[in-house]
Structure formats: C-alpha cells, structure tokens
C-alpha cells in the first residue's frame, strides 16, 4: 500500500488519539532497539540523508529549512519521501525536524546560513542572558510553542499507515 500524501491532510492532526493510529506492520527497528534478536539489521534514512532526493530539493527551493520544520504537512512530506522512493526497503522513518526548534521556541533567533549551517546572532553568553528566554515568562507553554512538531508527528504516523515506526 502506498504511503498517504500528507499534503491533503492540512496542518491539523488527522486523529489526535494514539489509539487511532494504524497498526504497525514492520517492527524490525523497534525489536532491534529493544535488544531482541532479529533476522537482519534495520535500515532507515536520517533526516539529513534526504537532501540528495530531487523531490526534497524541489521543496527546499520553495521553503527554507525552518519553514519545512514548522509546517506539519511539509515536515510529513519530506519524512515520507525516502520511504516512498525506496518502498519496502526501509524499516523506520525519522521525523523531519531539528534540535534547534527548541531554542527558537524559547525565544532565541536561530538562522540556517547556506553553506555554513546554524547561526545564533545573539547567543546566551552570560547567566543574565537567561532572562531573554521566553520559557521563563508567565504563560509560556512548550505545548503551544512546539505544537507544529506534535502535529507533524501525528500526521506522519497516519501517512505511514503503519508501514514502519516513526
């Protein structure tokens, strides 16, 4: 069965209930992670590995790195691209996101500079700089600030249709 097209789902979770996810058909990666004996080593593509795919590069022409991370439908699409291209050969999907969305959610500016990589124009250099962080302010909610990650995870689990774990 082909992997669903996540762009038709929009950015809203298809079903926020974990019990609504399709049953997992390939648990090789999870069995290996639990230390169980398996028939072979699992195979998966890390987020960075998708950069060589023409379909990924086409999306990146239209959207910057963090826009893809912050748009659940785009994050889902680039997550499932390697599984679509290499149908039946991969045993897990890795969500398209980045650790740097956390400092962004906390109020730090993070830029992805072409040819260089991540750049923080105003990094935390002294203990007093912690006062700039949004998570120290009343009303801050990581659930609100990183909601797009939760939506991407939910959308992707549905798009995978249980073919492989996320």
């Amino acid at each position: 069965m082909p992997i669903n097209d996540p762009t038709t789902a929009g950015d809203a979770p298809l079903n926020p209930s974990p019990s609504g996810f399709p049953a997992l058909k390939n648990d090789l990666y999870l069995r290996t992670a639990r230390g169980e004996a398996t028939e072979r080593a699992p195979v998966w593509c890390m987020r960075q590995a998708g950069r060589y795919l023409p379909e990924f590069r086409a999306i990146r022409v239209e959207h910057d790195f963090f826009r893809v991370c912050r748009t659940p439908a785009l994050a889902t699409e680039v997550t499932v691209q390697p599984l679509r291209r290499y149908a039946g050969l991969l045993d897990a999907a890795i969500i398209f996101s980045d650790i740097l969305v956390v400092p962004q959610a906390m109020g730090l500016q993070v830029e992805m500079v072409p040819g260089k990589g991540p750049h923080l124009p105003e990094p935390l250099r002294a203990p007093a700089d912690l006062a700039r962080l949004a998570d120290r302010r009343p009303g801050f909610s990581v659930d609100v600030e990183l909601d797009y990650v939760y939506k991407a995870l939910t959308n992707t689990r549905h798009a995978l249709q249980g073919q492989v774990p996320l």
Side-chain angles (χ1 to χ4, degrees):
M1 180 176 271
I3 294 172
N4 281 346
D5 178 0
T7 59
T8 61
D11 290 345
L14 299 175
N15 184 343
S17 169
S19 63
F21 291 124
L24 190 57
K25 299 170 190 160
N26 175 348
D27 67 346
L28 178 65
Y29 179 87
L30 298 176
R31 287 184 288 129
T32 302
R34 288 190 297 259
E36 297 175 16
T38 58
E39 58 277 18
R40 62 178 174 80
V43 177
W44 68 95
C45 288
M46 297 299 290
R47 173 190 57 80
Q48 298 88 339
R51 290 186 285 207
Y52 69 91
L53 294 176
E55 52 269 42
F56 174 80
R57 290 196 308 263
I59 287 176
R60 287 287 282 114
V61 165
E62 299 290 325
H63 307 281
D64 71 42
F65 177 81
F66 286 118
R67 172 68 55 212
V68 176
C69 290
R70 286 191 292 263
T71 307
L74 292 173
T76 295
E77 171 58 24
V78 297
T79 297
V80 301
Q81 284 176 347
L83 287 106
R84 220 182 272 128
R85 179 172 279 265
Y86 303 112
L89 299 177
L90 301 175
D91 301 302
I94 308 298
I95 194 70
F96 187 89
S97 192
D98 195 272
I99 191 70
L100 293 174
V101 300
V102 175
Q104 284 180 331
M106 294 170 65
L108 291 179
Q109 183 179 355
V110 181
E111 302 168 348
M112 197 60 71
V113 179
K116 181 181 176 193
H119 173 68
L120 283 79
E122 298 180 43
L124 303 175
R125 297 189 191 275
D129 292 341
L130 293 173
R132 295 191 342 243
L133 298 179
D135 70 326
R136 299 175 60 98
R137 297 185 190 125
F140 175 85
S141 169
V142 72
D143 290 337
V144 170
E145 295 300 321
L146 294 176
D147 185 59
Y148 60 89
V149 175
Y150 306 133
K151 288 178 179 176
L153 290 165
T154 299
N155 289 352
T156 303
R157 284 206 49 201
H158 284 287
L160 291 171
Q161 299 178 328
Q163 290 185 17
V164 297
L166 176 62

